[in-house]
């Protein structure tokens, strides 16, 4: 069956919630944004839907991050075709590796390569990286990862 891509609206929120519920951990950021802000122009991002007939089968959140949601095969291809003709605004593509890698393969040429200064962190970077991790965790979740043990457990996870 062929499908189509279109921008989601508030009327699509229940169907999007159902998609997000299929993997609430991978899609937690999008779920939180949907719950706190809603779907539409106030979301701070666009959410595209892949439809087969009138059924939402997958989606893609496009903001500072790109998050493919239940996107496989033709849906990834449809999202990539649309993404290639819009200005890239994201700094990262996050989510389940198969969808992220498939999408990036299809947009890499038009979106350009990753920043050559980006590299995998090593344990030698821990002292520089750890304060940024603590700040990000605290800002995103509203609690400090340093409680109750002064951060030793969180430092082990970061390491």
């Amino acid at each position: 069956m062929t499908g189509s891509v279109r921008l989601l609206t508030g009327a699509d929120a229940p169907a999007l919630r159902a998609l997000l519920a299929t993997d609430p951990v991978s899609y937690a950021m999008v779920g939180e944004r949907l719950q706190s802000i809603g779907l539409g122009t106030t979301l701070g991002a666009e959410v595209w839907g892949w439809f087969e007939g009138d059924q939402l089968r997958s989606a893609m959140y496009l903001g500072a991050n790109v998050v493919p949601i239940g996107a496989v095969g033709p849906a990834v291809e449809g999202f990539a075709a649309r993404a290639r003709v819009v200005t890239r605004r994201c700094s990262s593509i996050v989510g389940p590796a198969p969808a992220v890698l498939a999408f990036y393969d299809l947009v890499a040429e038009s979106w350009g390569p990753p920043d050559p200064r980006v590299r995998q962190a090593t344990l030698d970077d821990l002292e520089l990286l750890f304060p940024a991790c603590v700040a990000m965790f605290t800002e995103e979740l509203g609690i400090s990862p340093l409680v109750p043990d002064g951060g030793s457990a969180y430092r082990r996870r970061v390491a």
Side-chain angles (χ1 to χ4, degrees), residues 18-107:
L19 273 178
L20 296 171
T22 64
D23 190 347
V25 173
S26 294
Y27 310 135
M29 187 271 302
V30 178
E32 187 280 329
R33 301 280 296 174
L34 181 62
Q35 181 178 344
S36 65
I37 299 172
L39 185 59
T41 57
T42 61
L43 188 61
E46 292 184 343
V47 182
W48 300 343
W50 172 260
F51 288 83
E52 292 177 352
D54 62 353
Q55 295 294 310
L56 179 65
R57 299 292 185 201
S58 60
M60 184 161 289
Y61 176 93
L62 291 101
N65 296 308
V66 169
V67 182
I69 303 162
V72 295
V76 173
E77 293 168 14
F79 293 138
R82 184 162 179 176
R84 285 192 297 264
V85 298
V86 299
T87 302
R88 176 183 165 186
R89 326 182 285 189
C90 71
S91 61
S92 58
I93 306 168
V94 297
V100 167
L101 295 172
F103 178 77
Y104 181 73
D105 284 345
L106 294 170
V107 299

Side-chain angles (χ1 to χ4, degrees), residues 68-159:
I69 303 162
V72 295
V76 173
E77 293 168 14
F79 293 138
R82 184 162 179 176
R84 285 192 297 264
V85 298
V86 299
T87 302
R88 176 183 165 186
R89 326 182 285 189
C90 71
S91 61
S92 58
I93 306 168
V94 297
V100 167
L101 295 172
F103 178 77
Y104 181 73
D105 284 345
L106 294 170
V107 299
E109 188 174 317
S110 61
W111 277 15
D115 187 320
R117 297 170 296 174
V118 173
R119 64 174 174 77
Q120 185 171 357
T122 69
L123 284 177
D124 291 338
D125 300 312
L126 185 60
E127 292 310 311
L128 179 65
L129 183 63
F130 186 70
C133 292
V134 169
M136 180 184 72
F137 186 102
T138 303
E139 290 169 15
E140 289 184 2
L141 300 177
I143 58 171
S144 173
L146 303 179
V147 176
D149 64 358
S152 59
Y154 185 66
R155 180 180 286 274
R156 281 192 304 275
R157 284 194 304 275
V158 170

